Amino acid sequence: MKRSFIAGLVIGALIFGAIAAIAAGIVATPNTFPIKLNGGDVSIEGYNIDGSTYFKLRDIAEATGSFDVDFEDETILISTDKEEEAVNKLLYQGHGSFRLTLSSGEVIYIDPYAGEGYDEPADLVLVTHQHPDHNQISLVPQKEGCVVFQNSDAISDDGYVEADIAGVHIEPVQAYNKNHDVKQCVGYLVTVGDTLLYFAGDTSKTDQMAELAERGIDYAFLPMDGRFNMDIAEAIECAELIQAKNTVPVHMSPGSLFDRERAEQFTASSAFIVEAGEVIEF
């Protein structure tokens, strides 16, 4: 933000110099050079004067979104006190545990067990199955009216049970392997606004994963310890099936929050490494 502010001041100063130059009879020609902001194309009207390019300060402010410009009492006012837009924050606590804090304030824990960050009272707790490294609900402080939605709630005689709770849509999906019974385990698709998250829980490749490619998942979290779940090679195969925009390796080494060596072996095209204690904002 500070860098943009300084640039704006410099450009603004140049504009006033340009006005004087025009008054002196110097010719200004429209800028024809392409303009990129953080690698993306932007359209800003500019002029070339005596070998230098000039832009309107207000246009720079609008393009960068990092400051405001106003004019009052024959004074140009520049303000960098723009309110930051609220964002959703997903804390990876380590192993298979997460805390999701919505921009609207709701707090959701997924498979509480590992790491830190159990200080915010929950509106919702999601549990994929009843192994002790996924179901430590007692770690989570709960708001009045907090909902605990577990695998037993997600599976009925008629199939999977979807729900809308605490500002998100919950859709249980298949999760199973030789160590996890399909009738007792689930993964969760969690929709937060326009963002779709896939918490696979404990699983290996499932029949349903090929169908998930149609869903346009933004972040998928796949286990890959190779002992209780699929190994790294199978996790890569699943990532290519699911085709999420970002696939985060989790549950890599039983007893560890995070395993950098194993994470770097996860070479799926959508691989996105997140260490325990880091936050994804969206």
Side-chain angles (χ1 to χ4, degrees):
M1 183 177 292
K2 182 177 181 181
R3 184 181 305 164
S4 299
F5 174 62
I6 294 173
L9 288 178
V10 172
I11 293 169
L14 291 175
I15 290 174
F16 291 116
I19 294 173
I22 293 172
I26 298 175
V27 176
T29 58
N31 171 58
T32 58
F33 296 110
I35 304 168
K36 291 185 179 294
L37 176 65
N38 296 328
D41 293 326
V42 293
S43 178
I44 304 176
E45 188 179 66
Y47 292 93
N48 299 315
I49 302 174
D50 195 24
S52 297
T53 303
Y54 303 91
F55 303 97
K56 294 178 182 178
L57 185 59
R58 191 183 300 277
D59 289 346
I60 296 294
E62 182 177 346
T64 62
S66 57
F67 61 100
D68 288 320
V69 179
D70 205 350
F71 187 79
E72 184 179 314
D73 297 330
E74 298 186 353
T75 301
I76 296 173
L77 306 176
I78 301 172
S79 172
T80 60
D81 295 330
K82 294 178 69 66
E83 292 186 9
E84 293 188 6
E85 183 180 354
V87 296
N88 305 300
K89 298 181 179 181
L90 180 64
L91 168 66
Y92 176 42
Q93 295 168 290
H95 192 59
S97 302
F98 304 85
R99 186 189 71 199
L100 173 60
T101 305
L102 305 190
S103 60
S104 50
E106 293 89 347
V107 178
I108 301 166
Y109 289 86
I110 301 96
D111 281 356
Y113 163 74
E116 300 179 352
Y118 294 97
D119 53 326
E120 296 186 15
D123 296 276
L124 171 64
V125 182
L126 294 176
V127 176
T128 61
H129 64 289
Q130 295 304 316
H131 284 178
D133 58 335
H134 291 262
N135 70 346
Q136 298 303 305
I137 299 169
S138 62
L139 290 174
V140 180
Q142 300 180 21
K143 297 178 183 177
E144 183 176 353
C146 174
V147 176
V148 178
F149 192 86
Q150 305 191 63
N151 53 297
S152 56
D153 303 299
I155 302 173
S156 73
D157 293 337
D158 298 322
Y160 293 115
V161 179
E162 299 186 27
D164 292 287
I165 307 171
V168 301
H169 180 71
I170 305 159
E171 181 181 346
V173 294
Q174 291 179 345
Y176 60 85
N177 57 30
K178 64 180 182 180
N179 300 303
H180 298 85
D181 188 336
V182 67
K183 297 180 181 179
Q184 298 179 7
C185 302
V186 295
Y188 290 113
L189 291 174
V190 177
T191 303
V192 185
D194 296 329
T195 301
L196 182 58
L197 311 174
Y198 171 40
F199 300 97
D202 274 10
T203 191
S204 298
K205 180 181 174 182
T206 72
D207 293 337
Q208 194 177 13
M209 284 183 177
E211 302 172 11
L212 297 181
E214 302 174 359
R215 303 297 300 273
I217 294 170
D218 294 285
Y219 292 93
F221 303 90
L222 301 183
M224 42 169 272
D225 59 78
R227 180 179 173 188
F228 300 105
N229 298 290
M230 54 189 158
D231 59 15
I232 296 172
E234 188 175 357
I236 293 172
E237 179 186 356
C238 291
E240 302 305 339
L241 273 178
I242 296 164
Q243 296 181 28
K245 295 174 185 175
N246 303 279
T247 305
V248 181
V250 300
H251 205 302
M252 289 169 275
S253 297
S256 299
L257 296 180
F258 176 79
D259 187 322
R260 167 62 66 176
E261 182 178 353
R262 289 185 65 81
E264 291 182 348
Q265 293 176 47
F266 180 70
T267 57
S269 58
S270 59
F272 182 61
I273 295 177
V274 179
E275 292 196 16
E278 290 186 338
V279 174
I280 298 173
E281 296 186 352
F282 59 93

